[in-house]
Amino acid sequence: MSAEKNLLRGGRRHSGGRRLPLAAAGFACLAPAALVLSQSGERPSSAPMGAATTAAGDASGAARPAPRRAIRFELASSGLPTSGSEGMWKSDPVLADINGNGFADLAALPRLAKGARVWTGDGEGNWTDSSNGLAVPRTSCGGGLAVGDVNGDGKPDLVVGDHCTGIWVYLGDGAGTWTEVTAAMYPVDLVEKPGDELSEKLVTGAEDIAIGDVNGDGHLDILSGGSDEGGLNIFLNDGTGRNWTRQASSLISRGWANRVLLVDVDGDGRLDVVASHSDGPLVYLNDGRGDWFWSASGLPTPMMQGLYHGLATGDMDGDGKLDLVVANWVDGPEVYFQREHGTWQKAPEVFPEMFGGAVGLAVADVDGDGRLDIAVSGRLQPTGGMVRGLFLLLNEGNGSWRWARDTGLPSTGLMQTSGLSFGDIDGDGVPDLAVGSGLITETGPPGASREPVIAHRLMVWRGRRTAASEDGSVAAPGAASVDRGGNGEKKQ
Amino acid sequence: MVRTGTGQGQSAVRPHAAIVGHASPRRPAAVVAAVLCALIGAGMAGASQGQSGNAAGAGDDAAPPRHVLPPLSDSLDVPIDGIEPEPATREQLLVRANVLNAARLAADYATLWEFRDLLTVAHVSREEFIEWSVENDPFVYDVAETQDVAVDGRWGWVRVRASIGMRRAPSIPPRTIERWERWIHVCGRWLPVSAKEQDNAPQAPAERDLALEPLLQARYDAWWKAVEARDWRTLYEMSDPLDREQVDFETFARARNQLTFFDHQVLWRNASSDSGIVRVRYLLRLNDPNMTKMHPVVSMVNERWVRRDGQWYHRLLGGAER
């Protein structure tokens, strides 16, 4: 499989259409390093940050990874919300260059507030509100966002999936002003009893959305995951970003999806559907004729609905096939390798130290060794209080991951977290991490702090590679505390 | 399938008693109890550190982990695990019942506030309750008399005769009722069982067939032994024959295999005519390979039984009594 082809695989959300011209990739949520390796003139929509090295390595047949670098994260959230009415950031934040200045900007959707927000970044971790036109008359409930050019004018637009009110589309002028062109869209024809409020409510919400060109007409379409019983739906774009037609398809039409992605799972050049559906992770392959077929053999079907939340894809084992990473609300992150004939095989436990479950999840090559690492939000123990944390799991290259403890990310002390996304806010090629937090958090034991250790509810952590680390450890300079295995043992 | 939520989702959150214990971990039981009792200005006797689902002997080097129930909890699904039953007398209940009935007659909402259930007290302030009641209380009591009182451990029952009218429909004649009201002794005082918790408290002894209850208890004990032995065939045969007509053994066994029961505690039993309820606290876990890290959780269950031809059978299906 070619490097170019490999780049088209994997990755996180906000996956724009592959057939967009590279110029449009300026606002893609991808690292510059990944963009450089795209030689196809197509937007490498689904490549995880840092996947370029992996792809190049595969293509050349070089199995030896690049040297691992120690990684440190520092808070870079000046100007982002700390509390107040917009203190509950229930979405995977999006890092993308919206104003075309070369630095990633930030978009996120709050719960119990007035709609999506956008901040422009200066590359130094300072953020300026740029949300003119995004306020909604009704309360937003959190959900998902995507940035892409839905009307073909070369300027990034914003698509919002709201848990309560459905799908909203805003055309951007590239200068921070947004024009609403689609409001509260939902799969109307799924309403069992039209006119019945309860029946309509079951399908009006969108828990998450992704955008991409699913039918090859050059326009970005929308994949939405319902927030209750709406299932998975594709809305086809006529190229204006204003008119959307729900595609009649074989996608599951019931349940909800905590996350959805459009990525090329099978490498046929067509975007496929991946979802953490309420029934469990699901994959549907695009048949190229306007329909989808189920391809989730080997993926879990839990007894508990809604068990899986965060979702990412990438070639996690370097075999050239796209793999799946999902956040299990009880057991923590899980990796499923894609095997022959589109079947999936669960990797050995990825994060044995985590007993409190995972919610948000993102993948990128953080330490620069050419392998995809995993960032997770969740908690180590199932206790109440300010116990959520952020965790970086480094890819060991043998189908296993290891928790890097000394990265500067808080392993506890946060409010309930929601989503994660990698991006590059300063153009240094090192993945930075955006985190949505501030959701209602259970009361902790007596004496426990009632305030999170980080005041910001929506936060960005800037990654720095600090030093070469030949033995593969990721200890920060001067602090050689490294977890050597899955048993939590610390070796000095 | 049990449904969990979407984080802060609204409509999509569908917790299950057996699940939320892990997914939304309960606060330490004694802490909750102390807070709730403090809200009604009462002390808390016998509060212990019962933590749902903790493996006993976690700190022991050699002891293998064994999952046991935490100490006796209140049985009203109020999260006050750890409150032990306290000595309570019939006389104390009589005094409280008379105070309540006098307050009903006088529409004395400040006093009525003292008889609210713990969860109401936890979520609504005294002032809010009084303000709301003054404006919205739908009932007017013309008569409210205590006629009899019974006590069994932490449970109490008060026979009340009342004449109740509709405040906003004075033309409708008041309705006279006589009924046993259920009470529980908690946080050092007697409180009426709230309307939504009626099913979680036993009926008054005068309403039950007490002679049938030992047979019901024995039948439940045999049933539990089969649960422990994972003897699904025996369990199936102890199920209501009418239910078995609708649920085949394979379906039954598949459902039973989804849960592992570690411990149980019968809180009360209630036989009335041919219907029986055994209220049980279980410590259980879902057998889902996708939730290997889930701790066992405490689940309160009203096991329903039906008596046919002199034998008690376990009900598989809900719905009206047949």
Side-chain angles (χ1 to χ4, degrees), chain A residues 187-264:
Chain A
V188 177
D189 47 329
L190 291 185
V191 178
E192 285 190 1
K193 299 176 185 172
D196 178 75
E197 185 180 359
L198 183 60
S199 181
E200 290 184 353
K201 268 191 169 180
L202 289 175
V203 300
T204 51
E207 196 63 36
D208 194 20
I209 53 105
I211 58 175
D213 180 7
V214 302
N215 56 359
D217 65 358
H219 309 311
L220 292 180
D221 309 306
I222 297 174
L223 163 66
S224 73
S227 64
D228 203 320
E229 285 297 337
L232 302 174
N233 291 282
I234 295 285
F235 293 89
L236 299 175
N237 182 1
D238 71 349
T240 65
R242 298 168 183 268
N243 305 309
W244 304 87
T245 304
R246 194 177 85 85
Q247 181 190 60
S249 77
S250 301
L251 295 175
I252 190 167
S253 59
R254 58 169 178 75
W256 75 91
N258 288 320
R259 302 290 195 284
V260 294
L261 297 174
L262 282 171
V263 292
D264 182 4

Side-chain angles (χ1 to χ4, degrees), chain B:
Chain B
M1 179 185 279
V2 175
R3 308 189 81 172
T4 72
T6 53
Q8 294 300 305
Q10 293 171 321
S11 56
V13 176
R14 288 155 194 182
H16 181 279
I19 301 305
V20 293
H22 175 95
S24 302
R26 300 164 74 156
R27 285 165 278 183
V31 174
V32 177
V35 170
L36 290 172
C37 289
L39 282 168
I40 63 168
M44 183 183 61
S48 63
Q49 291 289 339
Q51 175 71 293
S52 301
N54 278 354
D60 298 341
D61 290 333
R66 176 172 176 264
H67 299 298
V68 296
L69 276 166
L72 178 67
S73 76
D74 179 89
S75 59
L76 291 183
D77 283 348
V78 176
I80 50 175
D81 293 346
I83 295 183
E84 299 290 347
E86 304 158 35
T89 66
R90 184 179 182 280
E91 289 70 28
Q92 290 169 328
L93 177 56
L94 180 60
V95 169
R96 290 279 287 171
N98 285 335
V99 171
L100 173 63
N101 283 328
R104 285 167 164 168
L105 280 174
D108 175 1
Y109 297 113
T111 299
L112 288 171
W113 166 254
E114 305 297 328
F115 292 86
R116 295 300 92 191
D117 63 283
L118 296 177
L119 284 185
T120 298
V121 172
H123 292 97
V124 181
S125 73
R126 180 176 182 272
E127 291 70 28
E128 288 170 334
F129 172 79
I130 294 172
E131 182 181 347
W132 184 93
S133 300
V134 167
E135 292 293 321
N136 301 290
D137 185 356
F139 303 118
V140 176
Y141 282 80
D142 296 324
V143 177
E145 299 173 347
T146 305
Q147 296 194 312
D148 197 2
V149 169
V151 167
D152 181 8
R154 67 191 331 201
W155 299 108
W157 300 269
V158 177
R159 182 75 175 173
V160 174
R161 178 177 170 274
S163 174
I164 307 172
M166 304 298 290
R167 173 187 290 197
R168 295 187 177 169
S171 61
I172 298 176
R175 182 168 162 238
T176 300
I177 59 169
E178 288 191 16
R179 67 185 177 201
W180 283 99
E181 295 180 340
R182 305 174 196 196
W183 290 61
I184 184 171
H185 193 254
V186 64
C187 298
R189 65 175 58 178
W190 284 104
L191 290 175
V193 174
S194 67
K196 67 183 177 185
E197 293 170 334
Q198 288 293 306
D199 286 347
N200 302 334
Q203 292 175 283
E207 299 175 299
R208 288 150 49 187
D209 292 324
L210 298 176
L212 293 176
E213 291 185 356
L215 297 173
L216 175 61
Q217 176 75 55
R219 187 70 165 162
Y220 174 82
D221 291 342
W223 187 86
W224 169 253
K225 279 188 167 50
V227 170
E228 280 189 305
R230 302 180 74 81
D231 180 356
W232 307 149
R233 179 59 68 181
T234 297
L235 281 184
Y236 187 67
E237 289 168 356
M238 293 178 75
S239 302
D240 181 5
L242 292 185
D243 288 344
R244 276 185 272 163
E245 290 177 3
Q246 299 180 57
V247 180
D248 62 34
F249 175 71
E250 287 69 29
T251 303
F252 174 81
R254 196 161 50 244
R256 296 300 316 186
N257 276 326
Q258 292 186 347
L259 294 170
T260 293
F261 289 79
F262 297 103
D263 200 359
H264 83 299
Q265 179 182 23
V266 173
L267 297 168
W268 48 263
R269 71 236 174 155
N270 190 141
S272 176
S273 185
D274 289 329
S275 293
I277 297 174
V278 181
R279 184 160 176 82
V280 194
R281 297 171 69 220
Y282 289 114
L283 189 65
L284 55 81
R285 184 165 62 195
L286 274 175
N287 297 325
D288 188 337
N290 303 294
M291 293 188 284
T292 58
K293 294 179 180 178
M294 194 173 111
H295 290 196
V297 293
V298 175
S299 183
M300 314 286 286
V301 178
N302 283 351
E303 300 285 9
R304 298 187 179 275
W305 296 75
V306 60
R307 197 165 65 107
R308 301 191 190 282
D309 299 326
Q311 181 61 284
W312 288 106
Y313 292 95
H314 186 240
R315 296 288 308 276
L316 297 179
L317 307 172
E321 300 297 332
R322 291 171 297 181

Side-chain angles (χ1 to χ4, degrees), chain A residues 375-447:
Chain A
V376 181
S377 68
R379 58 186 171 178
L380 295 176
Q381 295 294 329
T383 55
M386 302 293 163
V387 295
R388 267 71 178 190
L390 303 171
F391 309 92
L392 178 65
L393 309 177
L394 294 175
N395 191 332
E396 295 284 83
N398 55 359
S400 66
W401 281 258
R402 176 169 54 82
W403 176 22
R405 295 173 185 254
D406 296 308
T407 60
L409 295 173
S411 61
T412 187
L414 298 183
M415 300 181 76
Q416 194 168 145
T417 51
S418 176
L420 303 180
S421 291
F422 276 120
D424 185 1
I425 67 167
D426 50 9
D428 67 352
V430 180
D432 308 307
L433 189 62
V435 181
S437 180
L439 304 182
I440 292 173
T441 304
E442 313 87 345
T443 305

Side-chain angles (χ1 to χ4, degrees), chain A residues 31 48-51 71-73 95 363-368 373 392 421-426 428-434 461-465:
Chain A
M49 284 203 56
I71 187 85
R72 292 288 293 179
F73 286 94
L95 285 168
V363 301
D365 177 12
V366 178
D367 58 2
D373 309 308
L392 178 65
S421 291
F422 276 120
D424 185 1
I425 67 167
D426 50 9
D428 67 352
V430 180
D432 308 307
L433 189 62
W461 295 84
R462 179 162 49 193
R464 302 276 196 208
R465 290 178 187 146

